């Protein structure tokens, strides 16, 4: 996976090996220029170099890196950066040692982005800049008096002999490829202890040494207030709080560096001549003990094979698909706002650190639950051996066999059965053969697939770093952990989670495919009852002539989508020619069915359906997976749950049903349903997410008028074809002729609803719909703009612009 990436990103793999003209010092009045690749300062022994290091497209930082053995541009071990948070342009930028003795970094010949405050008042001071053999860049005069040194301002690395002091914390970089300041910090605290802190956008939390230990339990002392720590060249680290360690290769004098890594761990890396960098010490052995990886309402899990991952608490959905530090958000409203009945779901071996209210000893579980139910802001309890902690926030979650104690999540009782309990990994290993996990290896081994995705991305986006981040996040988060059942106070939750089913299993579950509940885009849908008693909808695809690997790749993408307004996919089956998808079953059927019935769908429900489906589509389009277009948005594909909350169904199907045509043009044939299709399909224009926006606009008009674009009442299939022509541009004509809105709204509104409707809501629905069905795709809003417009319709008194 890495090779194709790097090749694309760094078409020129420049080598930083020593050039013939080695420059050892920089004198007053001279400068190093980003335009000249040879403008590099080198230490006398050649071990370190300082110069402009590329950190992105046309973005450079002035940096120091290990240059022995020589490294190519993307794998040098960078140890320091002057301007990590303000990269400079790749043209006309330079580092100058001015006559007055100050060093300045100038971006594009204009702005000073970084400077040393070393001007001497008396004019010329005869300073020079030199990179010492220790990796320290110093500004000194003839008498070797140092007025500035890079060792005094570490970034994410501490070199041997470089002191970590009270004023100089070491801060991780954001990620492997993003060198800007990250969230993890190694620093001396007010009590003189050396600590690790996660200092994120939402929470701040110390996680090393273990926060529940006091200083002597952790083997530290607080009395020495000199607050200084250092690694010596032999691998002996000593800190003034008595924290001491020796690296595993202690003794040899080889290259070393101590780094606060972007994953929040502190490691010492060593490199002997001609070898790779090796980890010779690390602070934390249990990856989930690091805070902040998984944001609020999520838990960290670790599996030796798959590494670290995060899972949402039951009843929660990811805040951002690309960034787990954002955590998860509840799918239900706050218990303080709504007086819903609540219940608890138990998750054994789990823990959320901190933010408990108080600690109550000698409580039975029942008493503990009662205590929590009595507080509207209590989100759950941690219960361990008669100790009860009600939790007001779910932060720093961890789920691991080594954790003692259980978590009881508080959730609304009404939707209890639909919540998933995340499974603890080792449980899966105890019953092999029962569940077939989604094969993970193909992602890694089959490069052709990865490259294909890559090309799609590169073609679609111009911003290269954005692309890189997208790809990485998509690949990293493909595999969400399996989920498992657990007892919930009497309820038994069967094994849930995304998985592969066998055909036989589905045959049984659907009773030989006997109960058909629908037909549509590419397949027939059957009702099924799974072994664990969950009711499911099984879609048998009849046109999926995709190869198995390709199908699996799609599945693992779709299985990862998790949003309250997208239908939950439970699994799939790929056996021989059979391709089946297993979804949750929606009791209220589709919006189409319900629009055609005469009652129930009142205005507030219709409005909620509009907002909810827009949210679902926005998530599809604008989260990590821009390429999951729906391509068949219509009322038949918007399903309603027991609370009439909409869930978009059949997303991603357009890619699976790759019907014909050359392999790479996946949209070789018109997709969708007549009446809902954007003009791009007809005029053979590029297909973007705006085709879904168009179809959504038509659905909105249908919600308002109760009439389908195919004529007659909604859902009467096969109506007049030319009806659709009349349906769409009609809103626009009205708009041009300037008929007052109130008048024409009466004309168009679903006659079944006259009298009960809220004009403002209708106005905003119509206004948004008309913008969505614009012939010009660039004039259509994005789905997230649609959500915004719908939600803020009531703000202030401004009239809706249409
Ligand atoms: C490590 O350094 C400390 C402080 O300099 C010293 O007291 C200690 O003996 C050293 N340990 C070893 C094994 O050399
Ligand atoms: C405090 O720590 C520093 C650095 O390890 C050491 O040099 C100094 O002697 C210590 N002071 C006391 C009072 O122990
Ligand atoms: C715990 O509660 C029980 C009954 O309420 C009581 O008998 C027992 O002494 C208590 N134990 C402690 C350690 O307080
Ligand atoms: C749970 O209780 C056990 C025994 O009292 C204790 O060792 C453990 O640290 C506790 N776990 C947590 C997470 O508090
Ligand atoms: C990888 O893809 C090739 C075709 O591109 C296919 O022949 C091969 O079987 C695939 N390998 C795996 C492990 O799926
Ligand atoms: C399904 O069909 C098979 C034969 O095709 C039959 O033996 C079996 O009893 C059927 N099962 C059900 C539940 O109808
Ligand atoms: C919506 O459609 C479903 C399935 O046809 C039906 O069971 C339900 O009663 C309908 N609801 C309303 C309000 O018409
Ligand atoms: C269009 O509508 C007219 C009148 O409603 C009808 O006579 C005609 O057959 C329709 N055309 C098509 C193609 O359905």
């Amino acid at each position: 996976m890495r090779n194709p990436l790097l090749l694309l990103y760094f078409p020129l793999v420049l080598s930083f090996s020593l050039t013939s003209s080695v420059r050892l010092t920089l004198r007053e009045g001279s400068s190093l220029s980003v335009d000249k690749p040879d403008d590099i300062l080198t230490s006398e022994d050649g071990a370190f170099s300082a110069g402009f290091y590329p950190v992105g497209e046309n973005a450079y930082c002035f940096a120091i890196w290990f240059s022995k053995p020589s490294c190519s541009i993307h794998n040098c071990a960078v140890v320091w950066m002057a301007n990590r948070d303000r990269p400079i342009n790749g043209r006309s930028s330079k580092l100058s040692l001015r006559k007055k003795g100050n060093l300045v970094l100038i971006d594009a010949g204009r702005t000073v982005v970084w400077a040393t405050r070393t001007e001497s008042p008396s004019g010329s001071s005869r300073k020079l800049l030199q990179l010492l053999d220790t990796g320290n860049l110093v500004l000194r005069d003839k008498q070797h008096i140092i007025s500035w040194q890079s060792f005094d301002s570490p970034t994410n690395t501490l070199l041997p002999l470089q002191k970590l002091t009270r004023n100089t914390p070491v801060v991780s970089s954001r990620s492997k490829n993003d060198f800007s300041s990250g969230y993890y910090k190694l620093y001396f605290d007010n009590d003189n202890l050396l600590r690790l802190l996660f200092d994120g956008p939402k929470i701040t939390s110390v996680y090393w040494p273990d926060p529940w230990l006091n200083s002597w339990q952790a083997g530290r002392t607080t009395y020495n207030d000199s607050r200084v720590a250092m690694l010596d060249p032999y691998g002996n680290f000593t800190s003034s709080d008595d924290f001491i360690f020796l690296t595993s290769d202690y003794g040899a004098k080889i290259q070393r560096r101590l780094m606060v890594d972007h994953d929040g761990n502190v490691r010492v890396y060593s490199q002997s001549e001609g070898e790779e960098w090796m980890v010779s010490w690390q602070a934390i052995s249990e990856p989930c003990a690091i805070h902040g990886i998984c944001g609020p309402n999520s838990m960290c899990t670790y599996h030796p094979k798959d590494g670290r991952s995060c899972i949402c608490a039951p009843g929660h959905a990811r805040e951002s698909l690309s960034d787990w530090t954002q955590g998860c958000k509840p799918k239900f409203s706050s218990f303080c706002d709504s007086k819903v009945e609540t219940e608890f779901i138990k998750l054994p071996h789990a823990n959320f650190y901190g933010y408990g209210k108080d600690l109550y000893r000698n409580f039975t579980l029942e008493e503990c639950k009662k205590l929590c139910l009595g507080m509207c802001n209590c989100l759950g309890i941690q219960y361990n051996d008669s100790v009860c902690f009600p939790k007001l926030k779910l932060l720093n979650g961890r789920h691991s066999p080594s954790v003692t104690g259980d978590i009881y999540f508080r959730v609304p009782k009404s939707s209890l059965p639909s919540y998933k309990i995340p499974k603890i990994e080792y449980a899966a290993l105890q019953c092999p053969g029962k569940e077939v996990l989604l094969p993970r290896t193909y992602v890694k081994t089959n490069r052709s697939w990865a490259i294909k995705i890559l090309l799609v991305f590169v073609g679609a986006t111009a911003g290269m770093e954005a692309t890189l981040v997208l790809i990485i996040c998509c690949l990293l988060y493909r595999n969400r952990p399996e989920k498992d059942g657990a007892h919930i106070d009497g309820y038994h939750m069967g094994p849930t989670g995304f998985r592969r089913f066998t055909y036989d299993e589905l045959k049984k579950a659907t009773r030989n495919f006997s109960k058909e509940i629908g037909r549509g885009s590419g397949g027939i849908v059957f009702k099924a009852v799974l072994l664990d008693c969950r009711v499911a909808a099984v879609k048998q695809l009849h046109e999926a002539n995709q190869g198995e690997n390709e199908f699996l790749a799609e599945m693992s993408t779709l299985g990862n989508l998790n949003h309250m307004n997208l239908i939950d996919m439970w699994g799939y089956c790929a056996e021989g020619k059979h391709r089946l998808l297993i979804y949750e079953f929606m009791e209220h059927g589709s919006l189409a069915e319900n629009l055609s019935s005469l009652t129930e769908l009142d205005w507030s429900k219709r409005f909620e359906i509009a907002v909810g489906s827009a949210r679902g589509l926005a998530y599809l389009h604008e989260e990590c997976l821009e390429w999951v277009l729906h391509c068949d948005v219509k009322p038949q594909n918007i399903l309603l749950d027991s609370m009439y909350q909409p869930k978009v169904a059949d997303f991603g199907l357009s890619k699976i049903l790759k019907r014909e045509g050359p392999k790479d043009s996946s949209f070789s044939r018109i997709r969708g349903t007549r009446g809902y299709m954007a003009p791009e399909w007809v005029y053979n224009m590029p297909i973007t997410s705006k085709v879904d926006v168009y179809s959504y606009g038509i659905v909105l008009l249908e919600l308002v008028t109760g009439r389908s674009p195919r004529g007659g009442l909604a859902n009467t299939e096969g109506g007049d074809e030319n009806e659709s022509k009349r349906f769409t541009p009609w809103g626009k004509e009205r708009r041009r002729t300037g008929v007052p809105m109130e008048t024409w709204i009466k004309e168009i509104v679903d006659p079944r609803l006259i009298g009960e409707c809220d004009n403002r809501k209708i106005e905003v629905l119509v206004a948004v719909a008309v913008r969505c069905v614009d012939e010009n795709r660039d004039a259509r809003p994005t789905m997230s703009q649609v959500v915004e417009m719908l939600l803020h319709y009531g703000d202030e008194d401004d009239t809706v612009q249409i």
Side-chain angles (χ1 to χ4, degrees):
M1 198 49 244
R2 187 183 296 172
N3 295 354
L5 262 180
L6 290 175
L7 284 177
L8 275 167
Y9 277 87
F10 302 102
L12 309 167
V13 179
L14 299 176
S15 177
F16 272 155
S17 55
L18 294 182
T19 48
S20 49
S21 57
V22 173
R23 191 197 264 265
L24 295 174
T25 56
L26 186 70
R27 295 185 182 284
E28 262 179 18
S30 47
S31 43
L32 298 175
S33 165
V34 75
D35 302 295
K36 299 186 199 145
D38 279 352
D39 266 3
I40 288 174
L41 270 188
T42 307
S43 64
E44 228 164 293
D45 66 359
F48 290 95
S49 293
F52 293 95
Y53 195 85
V55 295
E57 201 189 358
N58 191 40
Y60 290 79
C61 287
F62 188 77
I64 302 173
W65 60 88
F66 278 99
S67 53
K68 217 179 190 181
S70 66
C71 51
S72 52
I73 208 161
H74 54 269
N75 65 5
C76 291
V78 173
V79 298
W80 181 78
M81 276 182 177
N83 54 323
R84 68 198 304 209
D85 293 318
R86 289 185 72 184
I88 51 172
N89 260 281
R91 309 258 342 231
S92 320
S93 298
K94 60 186 179 181
L95 179 84
S96 300
L97 181 51
R98 292 195 165 151
K99 280 253 153 53
K100 284 199 159 170
N102 57 334
L103 192 60
V104 293
L105 185 57
I106 300 160
D107 181 23
R110 288 193 301 275
T111 332
V112 173
V113 298
W114 176 87
T116 61
R117 293 201 188 84
T118 48
E119 283 174 1
S120 49
S122 57
S124 180
S125 60
R126 311 226 162 235
K127 280 179 190 151
L128 53 84
L129 188 69
Q130 185 182 6
L131 185 56
L132 304 181
D133 290 347
T134 51
N136 194 5
L137 185 69
V138 298
L139 192 58
R140 62 166 177 89
D141 60 18
K142 284 263 157 62
Q143 287 78 43
H144 287 266
I145 295 172
I146 290 172
S147 48
W148 174 87
Q149 56 182 341
S150 63
F151 268 22
D152 286 344
S153 57
T155 49
N156 62 351
T157 304
L158 214 54
L159 287 170
L161 302 178
Q162 181 176 8
K163 286 182 173 136
L164 174 64
T165 68
R166 68 178 67 215
N167 300 320
T168 57
V170 182
V171 177
S172 70
S173 25
R174 190 64 69 87
S175 69
K176 190 158 187 257
N177 298 295
D178 179 350
F179 291 91
S180 62
S181 302
Y183 300 133
Y184 295 102
K185 199 185 216 177
L186 179 68
Y187 74 114
F188 276 104
D189 213 338
N190 293 336
D191 60 359
N192 304 327
L193 291 197
L194 186 62
R195 289 207 162 95
L196 275 169
L197 172 78
F198 171 74
D199 190 4
K202 287 188 183 164
I203 55 174
T204 301
S205 182
V206 167
Y207 59 95
W208 180 84
D210 284 337
W212 53 87
L213 303 179
N214 61 33
S215 60
W216 58 268
Q217 283 171 324
R220 312 284 190 94
T221 57
T222 52
Y223 69 85
N224 189 334
D225 65 0
S226 60
R227 296 190 199 170
V228 55
M230 192 186 81
L231 179 71
D232 79 7
Y234 299 99
N236 179 358
F237 183 90
T238 47
S239 160
S240 59
D241 67 352
D242 275 3
F243 175 67
I244 293 169
F245 70 80
L246 299 177
T247 58
S248 59
D249 53 4
Y250 172 76
K253 198 173 176 193
I254 51 177
Q255 292 188 328
R256 298 173 196 281
R257 60 196 161 101
L258 180 143
M259 254 183 105
V260 179
D261 278 322
H262 56 85
D263 67 357
N265 211 338
V266 177
R267 298 185 180 89
V268 177
Y269 294 86
S270 319
Q271 177 178 252
S272 342
E273 194 103 40
E275 306 253 314
E276 301 261 292
W277 285 100
M278 307 267 287
V279 175
S280 53
W281 180 81
Q282 65 177 1
I284 290 164
S285 52
E286 200 167 333
C288 282
I290 294 167
H291 287 176
I293 305 148
C294 306
N297 306 313
S298 69
M299 287 167 290
C300 179
T301 65
Y302 178 75
H303 189 266
K305 191 164 108 263
D306 298 336
R308 196 161 63 175
S309 59
C310 305
I311 39 183
C312 286
H316 289 71
R318 286 186 67 174
E319 189 85 42
S320 152
L321 246 194
S322 58
D323 182 8
W324 266 114
T325 63
Q326 308 253 334
C328 305
K329 52 178 181 273
K331 294 183 191 172
F332 43 81
S333 50
S334 155
F335 303 132
C336 293
D337 301 343
S338 59
K339 290 252 177 300
V340 291
E341 253 195 284
T342 54
E343 256 301 348
F344 291 97
I345 298 186
K346 175 179 174 181
L347 178 64
H349 299 294
N351 180 1
F352 284 90
Y353 182 75
Y355 294 92
K357 186 159 166 15
D358 287 309
L359 183 153
Y360 300 85
R361 293 186 192 282
N362 204 11
F363 263 53
T364 64
L365 181 57
E366 285 316 309
E367 284 168 337
C368 185
K369 285 181 176 173
K370 214 161 155 190
L371 183 72
C372 178
L373 292 178
M375 294 184 280
C376 80
N377 56 353
C378 176
L379 301 179
I381 51 177
Q382 187 174 330
Y383 190 76
N384 180 19
D385 207 11
S386 83
V387 182
C388 167
F389 309 79
K391 291 283 172 189
L392 306 188
K393 282 187 177 168
L394 302 178
L395 296 177
N396 303 318
R398 194 169 149 196
H399 183 33
S400 147
S402 66
V403 172
T404 50
D406 308 325
I407 284 283
Y408 292 79
F409 294 101
R410 187 178 181 189
V411 296
K413 195 171 186 172
S414 56
S415 32
L416 189 61
S418 66
Y419 291 139
K420 289 178 179 174
I421 280 289
K423 172 163 89 179
I424 199 157
E425 285 294 339
Y426 70 95
L429 301 175
Q430 284 168 353
C431 50
K434 195 166 170 233
E435 285 188 37
V436 187
L437 300 181
L438 192 63
R440 186 191 164 82
T441 42
Y442 71 88
V443 176
K444 282 183 180 156
T445 55
N446 217 333
R447 286 171 181 221
S448 62
W449 175 82
I451 291 170
K452 217 187 228 165
I453 298 286
L454 197 68
L455 290 177
V456 170
F457 270 116
V458 170
T461 3
M464 282 206 158
E465 288 133 284
T467 316
L468 185 63
V469 170
L470 275 175
I471 294 166
I472 289 172
C473 74
C474 291
L475 292 178
L476 279 182
Y477 300 117
R478 305 183 66 80
N479 286 63
R480 75 172 171 206
E482 277 288 302
K483 317 229 165 147
D484 184 40
H487 291 278
I488 330 141
D489 304 328
Y491 294 80
H492 181 75
M493 298 261 290
T496 62
F498 189 73
R499 69 177 183 98
R500 188 173 184 159
F501 288 79
T502 64
Y503 189 69
D504 277 347
E505 209 176 339
L506 294 179
K507 211 163 148 187
K508 255 187 218 139
T510 55
R511 297 174 165 233
N512 286 348
F513 298 99
S514 55
K515 190 153 187 213
E516 183 179 324
I517 51 176
R519 266 165 201 268
S521 24
I524 307 173
V525 186
F526 298 93
K527 191 170 176 177
V529 180
L530 303 180
L531 278 181
D532 53 43
C533 301
R534 283 180 300 163
V535 183
V538 172
K539 181 164 208 159
Q540 187 168 33
L541 303 177
H542 45 63
E543 276 190 274
N545 52 11
Q546 239 182 352
E548 185 159 329
N549 280 327
E550 222 171 326
F551 181 76
L552 294 183
E554 291 300 333
M555 282 306 105
S556 77
T557 306
L558 298 181
N560 267 335
L561 297 176
N562 180 7
H563 188 273
M564 64 184 294
N565 296 116
L566 292 183
I567 192 109
D568 217 351
M569 197 162 171
W570 288 343
Y572 64 94
C573 167
E575 256 180 56
K577 281 192 169 164
H578 301 298
R579 300 280 182 273
L580 298 101
L581 308 175
I582 295 89
Y583 302 101
E584 65 182 316
F585 178 78
M586 288 297 192
E587 16 192 322
H588 277 110
S590 73
L591 174 61
E593 289 164 286
N594 285 268
L595 268 180
S596 59
S597 78
L598 288 174
T599 44
E600 293 288 339
L601 277 192
D602 57 30
W603 267 114
S604 66
K605 281 200 190 105
R606 290 189 193 204
F607 192 76
E608 273 182 36
I609 289 168
V611 175
S613 11
R615 279 198 174 123
L617 289 171
Y619 176 86
L620 275 188
H621 289 174
E622 278 150 50
E623 297 288 345
C624 202
L625 303 151
E626 162 98 42
W627 43 290
V628 181
L629 303 188
H630 192 295
C631 296
D632 198 10
V633 176
K634 57 180 176 179
Q636 284 80 4
N637 283 336
I638 296 173
L639 306 185
L640 303 175
D641 73 6
S642 53
M643 310 289 288
Y644 287 95
Q645 284 301 313
K647 295 198 182 223
V648 177
D650 274 4
F651 47 86
L653 214 60
S654 56
K655 279 199 89 193
I656 294 170
L657 303 177
K658 191 183 284 185
R659 286 167 202 181
E660 58 183 36
K663 274 199 180 121
D664 282 352
S665 60
S666 43
F667 296 110
S668 53
R669 195 174 124 171
I670 290 186
R671 295 269 155 66
T673 305
R674 195 169 269 132
Y676 297 92
M677 281 182 339
E680 288 98 296
W681 292 112
V682 182
Y683 301 120
N684 217 3
M685 293 195 297
I687 297 307
T688 65
S689 58
K690 295 296 178 68
V691 299
D692 288 348
V693 176
Y694 183 95
S695 312
Y696 173 81
I698 303 282
V699 172
L700 278 191
L701 289 176
E702 199 165 335
L703 274 173
V704 174
T705 60
R707 272 172 298 171
S708 111
R710 293 188 278 184
L713 285 181
N715 195 39
T716 44
E717 299 258 346
D720 265 353
E721 298 236 332
N722 49 14
E723 198 82 8
S724 67
K725 286 233 168 77
R726 203 201 59 176
F727 192 78
T728 320
W730 145 104
K732 268 187 231 162
E733 270 160 34
R734 293 292 172 163
R735 188 165 135 212
R736 285 201 199 94
T737 53
V739 178
M741 220 177 194
E742 274 180 30
T743 316
W744 62 259
I745 274 183
K746 282 213 182 74
E747 294 172 25
I748 61 160
V749 156
D750 192 338
R752 292 167 287 181
L753 292 164
I754 291 289
E756 61 155 311
C757 41
D758 169 349
N759 275 0
R760 258 201 83 81
K761 276 189 181 162
I762 299 171
E763 275 172 38
V764 76
L765 284 182
V766 173
V768 171
V770 168
R771 289 195 52 191
C772 289
V773 298
D774 203 299
E775 301 274 310
N776 172 7
R777 65 164 191 253
D778 296 326
R780 293 173 212 151
T782 64
M783 283 318 299
S784 56
Q785 284 167 339
V786 167
V787 174
E788 280 297 295
M789 289 190 274
L790 292 179
L791 288 183
H792 296 298
Y793 81 96
D795 291 358
E796 288 129 39
D797 257 345
D798 54 350
T799 42
V800 184
Q801 283 297 307
I802 58 166

